[in-house]
């Protein structure tokens, strides 16, 4: 009988691919997780998805991007990854960043504290929903808009870094959606439960998830201070 020995790196990859979660029951969020073509990132602290090539160029304030990074700490970046956390006001390291909930997040606890999923898609159902969302939000200006490409990144029940006591049970679920027709682009911020505002670093309380430096919601090309949830998109580009 032959014995099959799998390398440790392959075993880790299989463990990631086989992880199963139950997506939150919230109509505000686009479909994600099991049953979609999502990529599941490994558990991490100050991590990133690595560079994700895009099949469609994403226009963004006069520039176009052919790849992006989905970062553990609640942001998408173009150009390079933004793995570290800082309380400094954006921009971060002069990178182009869209932050749905930029704070000190950690999923690499035992047991794991959350999952980060992402994918690009041209699925007809997703495109139809994205088209409706934009037309509903901007009926006068974009009544003829038709989405041709969408990118969905979801932070599912992620935990805070430095959690202690009751803080080990605090979880945030939120989503960042990029939408374009190849000419105009939009961003949606979708939120389920937000149970903590910052990690235990930089003066934060690991038991309550509060402190003097709460999460930033921001776009490095456009100052944006207010949390949004569907149906209103974050902004037009």
């Amino acid at each position: 009988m032959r014995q099959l020995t799998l390398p440790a790196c392959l075993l880790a990859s299989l463990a990631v691919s086989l992880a199963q979660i139950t997506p939150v029951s919230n109509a505000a969020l686009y479909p994600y997780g099991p049953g979609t073509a999502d990529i599941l990132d490994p558990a991490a602290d100050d991590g990133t998805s690595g560079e994700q090539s895009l099949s469609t160029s994403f226009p963004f304030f006069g520039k176009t991007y052919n790849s992006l990074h989905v970062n553990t700490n609640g942001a998408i970046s173009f150009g390079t990854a933004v793995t570290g956390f800082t309380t400094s006001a954006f921009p971060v390291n002069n990178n182009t960043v869209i932050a749905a909930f930029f704070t000190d997040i950690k999923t690499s606890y035992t047991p794991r504290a959350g999952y980060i999923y992402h994918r690009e898609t041209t699925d007809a159902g997703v495109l139809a929903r994205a088209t409706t969302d934009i037309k509903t939000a901007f009926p006068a200006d974009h009544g003829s808009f038709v989405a041709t490409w969408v990118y969905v990144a979801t932070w599912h029940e992620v935990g805070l870094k430095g959690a202690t006591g009751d803080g080990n049970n605090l979880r945030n679920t939120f989503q960042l959606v990029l939408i374009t027709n190849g000419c105009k682009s939009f961003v949606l911020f979708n939120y389920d439960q937000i149970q903590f505002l910052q990690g235990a670093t930089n003066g934060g309380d690991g038991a309550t998830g509060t402190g003097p430096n709460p999460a930033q919601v921001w776009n490095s090309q456009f100052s944006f201070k207010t949390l949004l949830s569907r149906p209103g998109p974050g902004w037009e580009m």
Side-chain angles (χ1 to χ4, degrees), residues 10-93:
L10 180 56
L11 287 171
S13 176
L14 287 171
V16 169
S17 64
L18 292 174
Q20 294 292 313
I21 59 97
T22 301
V24 298
S25 180
N26 186 331
L29 273 64
Y30 279 57
Y32 71 92
T36 72
D38 270 351
I39 297 168
L40 171 60
D41 287 345
D45 175 17
D46 291 339
T48 181
S49 63
E51 185 175 17
Q52 302 295 305
S53 297
L54 307 179
S55 62
T56 296
S57 296
F58 185 70
F60 189 81
F61 286 99
K63 297 182 180 180
T64 56
Y65 296 93
N66 296 306
S67 65
L68 55 76
H69 297 76
V70 179
N71 304 298
T72 304
N73 290 327
I76 281 179
S77 57
F78 300 94
T80 60
V82 177
T83 55
F85 172 72
T86 177
T87 59
S88 300
F90 281 90
V92 178
N93 299 328

Side-chain angles (χ1 to χ4, degrees), residues 72-230:
T72 304
N73 290 327
I76 281 179
S77 57
F78 300 94
T80 60
V82 177
T83 55
F85 172 72
T86 177
T87 59
S88 300
F90 281 90
V92 178
N93 299 328
N94 296 316
N95 285 334
T96 301
V97 176
I98 305 173
F101 201 85
F102 186 69
T103 192
D104 213 353
I105 292 169
K106 180 177 178 179
T107 61
S108 55
Y109 289 100
T110 303
R112 183 170 177 153
Y115 299 83
I116 299 173
Y117 292 96
H118 50 93
R119 74 185 185 282
E120 66 172 359
T121 182
T122 54
D123 174 80
V126 174
L127 294 180
R129 173 173 174 175
T131 297
T132 298
D133 284 344
I134 302 309
K135 287 183 176 181
T136 300
F138 303 109
D141 296 329
H142 301 290
S144 61
F145 177 86
V146 177
T148 58
W149 178 90
V150 172
Y151 200 97
V152 182
T154 308
W155 288 257
H156 170 84
E157 296 184 353
V158 294
L160 63 95
K161 184 173 181 177
T164 59
D166 290 342
N168 287 294
N169 299 318
L170 298 178
R171 296 288 184 268
N172 288 355
T173 297
F174 55 92
Q175 191 176 74
L176 195 162
V177 183
L178 307 180
I179 302 170
T180 189
N181 65 356
C183 179
K184 291 183 177 294
S185 299
F186 299 82
V187 176
L188 305 184
F189 291 157
N190 301 327
Y191 299 90
D192 187 57
Q193 287 196 101
I194 299 297
Q195 297 182 343
F196 66 88
L197 297 178
Q198 76 167 89
T201 53
N202 301 290
D205 186 328
T208 64
T210 59
N213 296 291
Q216 297 188 69
V217 178
W218 213 78
N219 160 18
S220 63
Q221 302 294 321
F222 182 87
S223 179
F224 188 76
K225 301 298 184 182
T226 306
L227 290 177
L228 292 182
S229 59
R230 271 190 12 99

